[in-house]
Amino acid sequence: MSIFHFKPLRQQTDEQLMARAAAGSDTAFEELYRRYARRLKGFFFLQLGGDEELAADAMHDVFLRAYEARSSYQEGRRVDTWLFTIAYNICRNHYRSNAYEAQLLATLDSEPVNDQQIEVELDEATLDQALEQALAELPPSLHQIFSLHYQEELTIPQIAEIVDIPEGTVKSRLHKTMNIIRKKLKKYEDK
């Protein structure tokens, strides 16, 4: 029988409680929570800009991490040091993520907003999407010739050789393809 059973939980040291928690005692871990929750929440409140909700979340995160790692607790290590090390790392991660966010927001805020440029980019994106859709609906033979000419920038004689059809057929297929695309994109023309 262990010495832990002779003393009530409130009279045991933090290290004794942690050793019991590591052995599987949830009540011992709850006693540690009772002892340190308020201190950790206060620490986070001061470190995280006075945000009570964020402080409470961070405090719970410390105990969640400690609970998950309880079986790897090294006997003899001070529990308060261990918990505050976890707390420090949570703050450090919070600072890093906020610094990244702040840097990103500062960059975005420093760039002048040009409504006309945004509108042009949106229009171009919409038109590109409509063109992709129109090309996807083409028969494969027309789509291939279009791609070879307009995307790969090959000449009509080169395409005729690749596809093994007369140059006139390449020209007529390109003409037909352009008519189909014009009809599908007509609604995007400036009026």
Side-chain angles (χ1 to χ4, degrees), residues 42-186:
F43 170 78
F44 284 120
F45 184 81
L46 294 172
Q47 298 301 312
L48 302 177
D51 184 330
E52 192 155 343
E53 191 173 315
L54 184 60
D57 287 346
M59 180 265 302
H60 289 294
D61 196 19
V62 167
F63 284 103
L64 178 63
R65 291 180 189 192
Y67 186 80
E68 290 172 347
R70 71 191 181 284
S71 63
S72 63
Y73 170 74
Q74 299 166 351
E75 276 194 50
R77 184 171 184 194
R78 289 186 52 117
V79 173
D80 57 354
T81 303
W82 184 55
L83 292 173
F84 278 94
T85 299
I86 296 169
Y88 170 77
N89 288 328
I90 290 170
C91 284
R92 202 170 66 186
N93 291 339
H94 177 78
Y95 298 150
R96 276 190 203 136
S97 67
N98 278 357
Y100 174 76
E101 257 181 63
Q103 183 180 9
L104 180 62
L105 290 173
T107 302
L108 293 175
D109 287 344
S110 68
E111 294 175 5
V113 176
N114 181 343
D115 291 341
Q116 288 178 331
Q117 181 63 30
I118 291 171
E119 190 175 316
V120 167
E121 287 174 10
L122 288 174
D123 287 346
E124 287 176 359
T126 302
L127 183 59
D128 287 346
Q129 191 174 19
L131 178 59
E132 284 180 34
Q133 180 65 36
L135 290 172
E137 293 171 1
L138 286 173
S141 61
L142 297 180
H143 189 203
Q144 289 168 346
I145 289 175
F146 178 89
S147 294
L148 290 170
H149 188 64
Y150 291 103
Q151 293 170 329
E152 300 300 324
E153 299 179 352
L154 298 175
T155 65
I156 291 180
Q158 289 171 317
I159 296 169
E161 186 178 330
I162 291 168
V163 183
D164 195 27
I165 57 175
E167 289 180 25
T169 306
V170 171
K171 288 179 187 176
S172 69
R173 287 186 182 173
L174 277 173
H175 182 72
K176 182 177 181 179
T177 302
M178 292 309 295
N179 283 336
I180 292 170
I181 291 172
R182 269 191 211 97
K183 286 178 186 171
K184 290 186 182 269
L185 301 180
K186 184 132 182 90

